[in-house]
Amino acid sequence: MRIGTGYDVHKLVEGRKLILGGVEVPHTLGLLGHSDADVLLHAIMDAILGAAGLGDIGKHFPDTDEAYRGISSMKLLEHVGALLADHGYVVGNIDATVIAQQPKLRPYISRMEENVASVLGISVDQVNIKATTEEHLGFTGREEGISSQAVCLLESFYESSVAVADSANRCSSCQGCSKEF
């Protein structure tokens, strides 16, 4: 079992869409960034990559690479999910918080959770997203930016497998070891 944390922040500006958790949220301002600047997905990806010991999103998707200019962070999350599978990990759960004074995010959270779960191939009940304000304090309270924090628990394929065994067939659901019971 492994745990990772993620944090991201982007500045609010005019002329950009506000994308959070792969959902376009109606607002007069959007987040500035090289990609779609989805601060929520960026924090989630950093938590996942950290738990797997695979660095961070800057390592995998540098903002100096034009291939990532304007890219949907949902596509980046899909790539991170594939990296997990390649390294033998599955998501146990994700818990994330978006910190924004405005807009109110409650109406969009279910879709955000569904998006994350769908792309990672996990159940919606393994993803929990919350939103909070900072009571008009700090840069988020002054509506200068939005930040997000995330925590992710990972398990290896072996840890997450459920084996039903008998003495003749070993673990019928596990291909990876030669344990006999």
Side-chain angles (χ1 to χ4, degrees), residues 17-137:
K17 293 179 181 179
L18 178 59
I19 309 292
L20 295 169
V23 176
E24 185 175 337
V25 178
H27 193 50
T28 58
L29 303 172
L31 293 170
L32 181 62
H34 186 70
S35 66
D36 64 3
D38 188 329
V39 70
L40 172 60
L41 293 186
H42 293 184
I44 289 171
M45 287 185 283
D46 269 347
I48 292 169
L49 290 166
L54 297 173
D56 61 19
I57 61 173
K59 174 182 174 181
H60 294 275
F61 316 110
D63 64 5
T64 55
D65 189 334
E66 286 301 307
Y68 304 119
R69 181 172 297 284
I71 194 168
S72 167
S73 292
M74 293 293 288
K75 289 183 180 179
L76 303 179
L77 182 61
E78 184 177 358
H79 181 79
V80 168
L83 284 173
L84 280 185
D86 290 347
H87 286 83
Y89 293 109
V90 293
V91 173
N93 76 299
I94 295 168
D95 186 36
T97 304
V98 179
I99 301 102
Q101 193 64 42
Q102 289 291 330
K104 298 297 181 195
L105 299 175
R106 170 66 17 227
Y108 309 99
I109 287 179
S110 293
R111 281 194 311 177
M112 293 176 195
E113 291 171 338
E114 290 166 5
N115 285 346
V116 171
S118 175
V119 166
L120 293 175
I122 59 177
S123 173
V124 173
D125 67 2
Q126 292 173 271
V127 181
N128 187 65
I129 296 172
K130 307 172 296 290
T132 191
T133 69
E134 288 192 308
E135 302 298 328
H136 301 282
L137 298 173

Side-chain angles (χ1 to χ4, degrees), residues 135-154:
E135 302 298 328
H136 301 282
L137 298 173
F139 73 90
T140 58
R142 291 187 302 270
E143 300 180 47
E144 296 170 10
I146 293 178
S147 65
S148 185
Q149 301 175 1
V151 178
C152 176
L153 178 74
L154 295 182

